[in-house]
Amino acid sequence: MLTINDLVQPDSVEEAYKILITRKNNAVLGGCAFLRMGSRNIGTAIDLAKLGLHDIKEVEGYIQIGAMTTFRDIELSPLLQQFAAGVLPQAVSHVIGVQFRNVVTIGASVYSKYGFSDLLTALLALETEVELFKGGRMSLAEFLDKPAARDILMYVWIKKVDCSAAYQSMRMSASDYPVLNVAVAKTGRDWKVTVGARPKKAVIAQQLSAELSHKNVNHENVDFFAYIACEELVFGTNARGTAQYRKEMCKVLIRRAIKEVLQCK
């Protein structure tokens, strides 16, 4: 059962952070989509609704996305639909239904580092940074590698470069979590491949990304590259699939995503 003893809406991030660190069971609220599914006792719940963190806008060569921006906002954003072949709207469009996407926020999803996240896999394939109140600004990859800390995620920053990208996922049903997901992005000659829902959190396939960046990639040799990632990454078993099944599916999804990027103009 979820219990919230008090609810506050601070007028500044500074105030929100002070409340957060006052007690261990104080917590920042996102869209609460997953919070309501669990059992937890929250002392003071902190709602960031008054802090103006809902915008998607272009700032000095970056796309800045506020932490309270919903998946539905991402899905409908003209700016994101036109950037990187619309890979971010495409990734979040797979998440359950419109009602759910209307409440799930990018800040809560990124900060929680969910292993099953469609959005994290797509963001990691792009040149993405996160901005934390205390931790400052860092790459998404660095943030995902850091141990959990009490902080407030304010913005996600995506470098606005000429980039082609594609997202692929495998689900047992349309409304289920992904069994595996993959994102591929190409900027100039540089490629980046990310794989999530392994079932661990998304990671960059470093060896495959380097191979793609240094060799001529075409429709005939895609199978060779897809094999590299499957040998490089570690997969696990859960109720949705075995490690071996995920490994085989990884080849299929990477092959599809690379071919899709090759077809981008």
Side-chain angles (χ1 to χ4, degrees):
M1 182 176 68
L2 173 64
T3 303
I4 296 177
N5 299 311
D6 193 15
L7 174 67
V8 295
Q9 291 185 320
D11 294 315
S12 68
V13 182
E14 291 83 358
E15 182 185 353
Y17 180 74
K18 286 180 181 178
I19 298 170
L20 176 65
I21 63 174
T22 300
R23 294 174 61 189
K24 285 187 176 181
N25 68 337
N26 290 354
V28 175
L29 298 182
C32 300
F34 298 112
L35 191 63
R36 289 176 292 186
M37 296 167 61
S39 178
R40 186 175 176 184
N41 180 20
I42 296 177
T44 300
I46 305 162
D47 184 358
L48 306 181
K50 290 185 177 180
L51 304 186
L53 300 175
H54 299 83
D55 292 336
I56 302 173
K57 57 187 178 182
E58 191 171 349
V59 180
E60 299 179 349
Y62 283 82
I63 297 173
Q64 181 199 65
I65 307 177
M68 294 299 287
T69 303
T70 69
F71 278 22
R72 186 63 171 166
D73 294 331
I74 292 170
E75 186 179 9
L76 298 179
S77 165
L79 179 59
L80 294 178
Q81 288 172 353
Q82 295 168 12
F83 173 68
V87 68
L88 293 180
Q90 180 188 1
V92 300
S93 70
H94 294 272
V95 178
I96 304 181
V98 172
Q99 288 180 316
F100 192 81
R101 297 196 293 275
N102 268 325
V103 297
V104 177
T105 62
I106 185 173
S109 299
V110 172
Y111 190 79
S112 300
K113 305 180 184 180
Y114 293 126
F116 56 79
S117 175
D118 295 275
L119 180 64
L120 269 180
T121 300
L123 283 172
L124 191 59
L126 305 173
E127 295 186 44
T128 303
E129 299 175 1
V130 298
E131 183 178 348
L132 302 165
F133 175 69
K134 291 297 288 184
R137 195 160 154 178
M138 68 189 77
S139 71
L140 176 59
E142 181 183 352
F143 171 71
L144 292 177
D145 282 340
K146 281 182 172 292
R150 291 175 72 76
D151 208 334
I152 297 176
L153 191 149
M154 299 185 296
Y155 297 102
V156 171
W157 297 83
I158 306 169
K159 193 170 184 181
K160 198 169 185 292
V161 295
D162 187 9
C163 172
S164 298
Y167 175 83
Q168 292 283 335
S169 66
M170 192 275 169
R171 287 168 153 77
M172 302 303 289
S173 65
S175 61
D176 197 7
Y177 296 121
V179 175
L180 192 78
N181 54 34
V182 164
V184 174
K186 181 177 183 290
T187 306
R189 289 191 56 85
D190 293 331
W191 290 74
K192 188 188 289 186
V193 178
T194 57
V195 181
R198 300 170 298 119
K200 298 179 181 179
K201 66 177 181 286
V203 293
I204 301 171
Q206 300 285 2
Q207 184 181 343
L208 173 57
S209 299
E211 289 281 347
L212 289 168
S213 300
H214 291 93
K215 293 184 179 179
N216 181 37
V217 186
N218 53 58
H219 289 275
E220 285 68 41
N221 60 13
V222 168
D223 286 350
F224 165 74
F225 292 112
Y227 177 81
I228 293 175
C230 299
E231 295 303 310
E232 171 186 358
L233 300 175
V234 176
F235 301 91
T237 297
N238 65 3
R240 287 180 174 80
T242 65
Q244 185 59 37
Y245 180 66
R246 284 188 165 91
K247 187 173 182 178
E248 294 302 317
M249 285 306 305
C250 186
K251 299 175 188 176
V252 176
L253 297 183
I254 286 178
R255 185 187 308 121
R256 290 176 183 172
I258 292 175
K259 287 183 176 181
E260 190 174 334
V261 169
L262 289 174
Q263 291 170 353
C264 290
K265 295 182 180 180

